[in-house]
Amino acid sequence: MADDLELRFERTVQADSRIEPRDWMPDGYRKTLIRQIAQHAHSEIIGMQPEGNWISRAPSLRRKAILLAKVQDEAGHGLYLYSATETLGADREDLTTKLIEGRQKYSSIFNYPTLTFADVGVIGWLVDGAAICNQVPLCRTSYGPYARAMIRICKEESFHQRQGYELLMTMMRGTQQQKDMVQDSVNRWWWPALMMFGPPDSESTNTEQSMAWRIKRDTNDELRQKFVNMSVPQAEALGVTFPDPELKWNEERGQYDFGAPDWDEFWQVVKGGGVCNEQRIAHRRKAHEDGSWVREAAAAHAQKHAQKEGAA
Amino acid sequence: MSFDNAYESLLGHEDAHWAFGTGFSEALSGVNREFPAGVDRDDLAAYCLMLGDDALIFSQRLSEWCSRAPELEEDIALANIALDLLGQARMLLTRAGEVLGKSEDELAYLRDEREFRNVHLAEIDCGPGPGGDFGTTIARLLVFSTWRLALFSRLRGSADPVLAAVAEKGLKEIAYHRDHAAQWTVRLGDGTDESHRRMQAGLERVWPFVDELFATHAVEARLAGVAVDPASVRSEVDGVLDAVLSAAGLQRPADTKAARVAGMAGRDGVHTEAMGFLLAELQHLHRSLPGAVW
């Protein structure tokens, strides 16, 4: 019996069909998905902070509106994704607890600080750009609710990326101070953006099984290369350079060669040693704890209301 | 849109790819922007700044909740309200700017504190800062949106076609804001002992700033037919607030009022100590890079 179920699962995955919430699935598949989707949801929620940092100071009302709407979208993405984990039997409250206790991770990129308004544009262009490269293949991932959430998220992320790039284009037409601000921001975010694809394939522990289950569709290094290939012409159009002396077109490979990110820094930040790790979690924890009386009140009111209706 | 290339359409300028408008002029496209005959334009500009600054400054306060709300759904809702108000502010500042020869950004970023015309209720810290909490924020939102809804429903008949159009568009938004605040007031008033206590404390915190909302300013008095006299909406606002508070099991605070300073308040450009810090944050980047384009 169990063998039949497993066989059907394998066939569904191999045929590139979707696994749906009520279908049988191996425990490992369920756990891997919950871990991955939760980590993605946490990234959206923690990712609200570095950009939210500039809402109050946005230098024009139009940019303020764009930024506020973008950060609001990230909260929405977090919601879709937490909902997708709930179809696998996870619980949002429990996942939030794991996040603020440091038991589940979020994208390490958000542990870097946003120091100027150009960072808002560069996050849109490079960080959202890298996220899209990672996420586009997930629109075809084997778990249905995750794939469908990703289609919607990718559409919105593409829009954010475009807005970020448009901000940078505008700034590059501005004063010298603004141009310098953009280049400085690109210099700070380029390597962390490359690190978003994860460690090199030779050191990645989760890739193989996830590829077999078609949760993941491309390796870290493949996606990183794709991102570099796409970003270089964008940088040229913008008039900025990337801080990598090894970056050059390789005629033979038909791709760009590029240097290796500082993986020691990557692991240091992943393990909690980034500039903002503690701050990001403390912020999230405070919001969650400060809001507990409100959530309790809403639940108590709903319960009283239900009782009244039941009595009537 | 193909998802195989994340950068597709990045350099193109096809607006169809934009999921929502970032401009706002479309909202009022087709509206007659001529100034009505016999109306003092400086008064009209001053009045637009009053309503526009109320929205801009309150939006700034509400957006402080971003990433700090009690629940994700509420984070989204408060950002939505802040965005609606920011949109209203932009239309109203633009209208004032048509008289004054200034852009919305020049008015938002380059005026000094004494030139801002918003009521104190919009600017005080009601949380998430030390000046309040979610209950205080809801108390302010309830009072502000009830008052503004009453004003805007009358403003639809304004002799200024732009003000009338802004009111028409804003009315639906503010009706949602009021409904959202009223629902939370009832939930918090009824929920737990702690939420009841905090909601009541929130009302006590904002109540001294209520009286100012209904004080007729000389500009409003002179703009009969264009502006709404706020004194005329007091009984309607009181009625709505009483109904919500009663449904929530909360007490209407005693009618204490914050004293004016030399007879002046927000509409005259005289603000609370919180305003300077709020503007410092809002304006500093824009002012730090003169000549920059954004």
Side-chain angles (χ1 to χ4, degrees):
Chain A
M1 180 65 189
D3 286 351
D4 281 357
L5 289 170
E6 191 147 6
L7 197 63
R8 196 186 305 162
F9 170 84
E10 295 290 345
R11 279 190 188 144
T12 307
V13 170
Q14 292 309 317
D16 267 340
S17 295
R18 296 273 163 81
I19 303 296
E20 294 299 335
R22 298 171 70 166
D23 294 343
W24 182 90
M25 61 189 84
D27 279 349
Y29 177 86
R30 187 185 297 274
K31 279 186 193 144
T32 301
L33 271 172
I34 291 176
R35 180 182 60 79
Q36 181 174 332
I37 303 174
Q39 185 167 322
H40 188 172
H42 298 331
S43 301
E44 297 282 358
I45 299 308
I46 295 293
M48 296 169 72
Q49 293 178 38
E51 290 178 276
N53 184 33
W54 284 93
I55 292 171
S56 66
R57 295 174 288 170
S60 77
L61 296 185
R62 176 170 172 266
R63 293 294 171 196
K64 190 189 283 286
I66 290 173
L67 184 55
L68 182 53
K70 180 189 173 179
V71 177
Q72 184 193 31
D73 277 354
E74 285 163 3
H77 295 172
L79 262 185
Y80 310 154
L81 291 162
Y82 284 127
S83 302
T85 64
E86 284 173 350
T87 67
L88 291 160
D91 169 65
R92 200 209 299 184
E93 181 72 22
D94 172 56
L95 297 177
T96 301
T97 303
K98 285 181 172 141
L99 169 66
I100 60 185
E101 288 178 356
R103 290 189 282 138
Q104 282 186 338
K105 297 205 176 302
Y106 54 90
S107 180
S108 211
I109 190 90
F110 301 121
N111 293 316
Y112 287 85
T114 50
L115 302 179
T116 68
F117 197 73
D119 290 13
V120 169
V122 171
I123 287 179
W125 173 37
L126 294 179
V127 175
D128 292 342
I132 296 166
C133 284
N134 268 328
Q135 290 166 8
V136 162
L138 294 176
C139 297
R140 294 181 291 127
T141 195
S142 58
Y143 188 58
Y146 189 25
R148 288 187 288 275
M150 289 317 304
I151 290 172
R152 190 161 165 190
I153 290 172
C154 280
K155 279 186 189 172
E156 292 180 1
E157 293 289 356
S158 301
F159 174 60
H160 296 162
Q161 194 201 14
R162 185 186 158 120
Q163 286 174 329
Y165 195 73
E166 190 258 339
L167 167 61
L168 299 178
M169 275 288 192
T170 304
M171 289 182 72
M172 291 301 287
R173 286 195 293 265
T175 62
Q176 189 58 44
Q177 226 176 338
Q178 286 186 289
K179 291 177 198 174
D180 294 345
M181 203 185 261
V182 174
Q183 182 63 60
D184 166 70
S185 178
V186 170
N187 292 346
R188 285 183 287 111
W189 289 97
W190 173 247
W191 292 113
L194 289 191
M195 295 175 193
M196 285 176 69
F197 297 94
D201 294 346
S202 54
E203 290 169 36
S204 176
T205 48
N206 296 319
T207 296
E208 206 176 324
Q209 178 63 74
S210 289
M211 297 274 284
W213 277 334
R214 302 208 177 175
I215 291 173
K216 202 169 163 165
R217 317 275 322 207
D218 304 270
T219 72
N220 296 350
D221 286 334
E222 285 165 3
L223 290 168
R224 192 168 8 249
Q225 177 73 58
K226 197 170 172 181
F227 175 71
V228 171
N229 291 346
M230 289 193 292
S231 298
V232 173
Q234 298 290 323
E236 284 166 2
L238 196 56
V240 296
T241 56
F242 291 132
D244 179 359
E246 295 174 49
L247 183 68
K248 62 171 189 296
W249 179 252
N250 183 325
E251 195 67 59
E252 211 171 296
R253 292 201 309 129
Q255 317 228 50
Y256 284 92
D257 290 338
F258 57 99
D262 180 347
W263 292 114
D264 290 340
E265 177 185 305
F266 173 78
W267 289 114
Q268 190 187 354
V269 177
V270 166
K271 287 172 183 161
V275 175
C276 299
N277 297 58
E278 279 181 38
Q279 175 190 333
R280 301 290 186 237
I281 290 295
H283 180 115
R284 184 74 193 98
R285 185 189 300 119
K286 181 166 177 11
H288 191 68
E289 287 172 359
D290 286 355
S292 66
W293 69 272
V294 178
R295 296 191 299 275
E296 282 160 21
H301 171 71
Q303 202 179 0
K304 287 184 200 175
H305 206 68
Q307 278 167 359
K308 267 185 216 158
E309 286 202 342
Chain B
M1 187 184 294
S2 157
F3 288 113
D4 286 339
N5 183 350
Y7 288 83
E8 190 186 41
S9 87
L10 201 60
L11 286 177
H13 292 281
E14 315 83 3
D15 274 348
H17 289 294
W18 291 70
F20 73 101
T22 52
F24 60 97
S25 52
E26 300 81 8
L28 296 187
S29 66
V31 171
N32 175 15
R33 301 198 77 90
E34 278 175 36
F35 298 107
V39 170
D40 184 291
R41 291 187 191 182
D42 287 333
D43 278 347
L44 176 65
Y47 185 60
C48 288
L49 288 178
M50 291 175 182
L51 297 181
D53 289 345
D54 288 342
L56 175 66
I57 300 304
F58 187 26
S59 171
Q60 179 82 0
R61 280 298 188 198
L62 277 173
S63 65
E64 291 172 3
W65 278 98
C66 192
S67 79
R68 294 183 175 87
E71 195 66 283
L72 289 179
E73 288 84 347
E74 190 56 23
D75 215 295
I76 293 171
L78 292 176
N80 236 350
I81 296 171
L83 276 168
D84 284 344
L85 291 170
L86 182 54
Q88 292 176 14
R90 295 179 66 186
M91 291 187 278
L92 289 160
L93 262 51
T94 297
R95 183 58 166 165
E98 287 170 0
V99 175
L100 303 170
K102 290 184 193 302
S103 69
E104 53 165 348
D105 284 338
E106 285 173 309
L107 289 170
Y109 292 94
L110 299 177
R111 273 183 299 155
D112 290 334
E113 181 176 327
R114 285 297 294 267
E115 300 170 90
F116 276 81
R117 297 273 190 160
N118 57 283
V119 292
H120 292 176
L121 182 69
E123 76 198 37
I124 57 170
D125 172 13
C126 290
D133 60 7
F134 186 70
T136 317
T137 289
I138 290 300
R140 163 160 60 185
L141 182 61
L142 177 70
V143 171
F144 184 91
S145 57
T146 302
W147 168 65
R148 196 167 174 90
L149 188 67
L151 290 179
F152 271 41
S153 66
R154 287 160 181 77
L155 197 62
R156 282 183 298 174
S158 172
D160 180 46
V162 175
L163 275 176
V166 169
E168 183 70 42
K169 181 177 184 298
L171 207 59
K172 294 182 210 88
E173 298 167 348
I174 303 165
Y176 162 76
H177 306 170
R178 189 182 74 172
D179 184 55
H180 188 75
Q183 286 195 38
W184 269 117
T185 304
V186 170
R187 260 183 229 124
L188 297 180
D190 176 64
T192 63
D193 289 346
E194 183 182 10
S195 71
H196 182 90
R197 177 181 61 73
R198 283 176 178 256
M199 189 63 224
Q200 187 67 47
L203 292 166
E204 306 289 344
R205 160 90 174 118
V206 304
W207 220 256
F209 301 96
V210 170
D211 191 65
E212 185 194 356
L213 307 180
F214 304 105
T216 310
H217 190 271
V219 164
E220 291 164 323
R222 288 196 298 268
L223 282 175
V226 172
V228 177
D229 179 357
S232 71
V233 303
R234 181 152 212 166
S235 63
E236 179 185 323
V237 170
D238 275 340
V240 173
L241 292 178
D242 285 343
V244 174
L245 297 185
S246 152
L250 294 160
Q251 296 295 316
R252 183 189 172 94
D255 276 327
T256 51
K257 32 181 140 165
R260 298 169 81 85
V261 175
M264 293 181 287
R267 291 289 190 239
D268 310 294
V270 173
H271 294 280
T272 65
E273 287 187 350
M275 186 68 170
F277 291 95
L278 186 152
L279 288 179
E281 195 169 342
L282 188 142
Q283 296 181 332
H284 99 89
L285 176 56
H286 185 98
R287 288 186 180 224
S288 299
L289 296 176
V293 286
W294 303 103

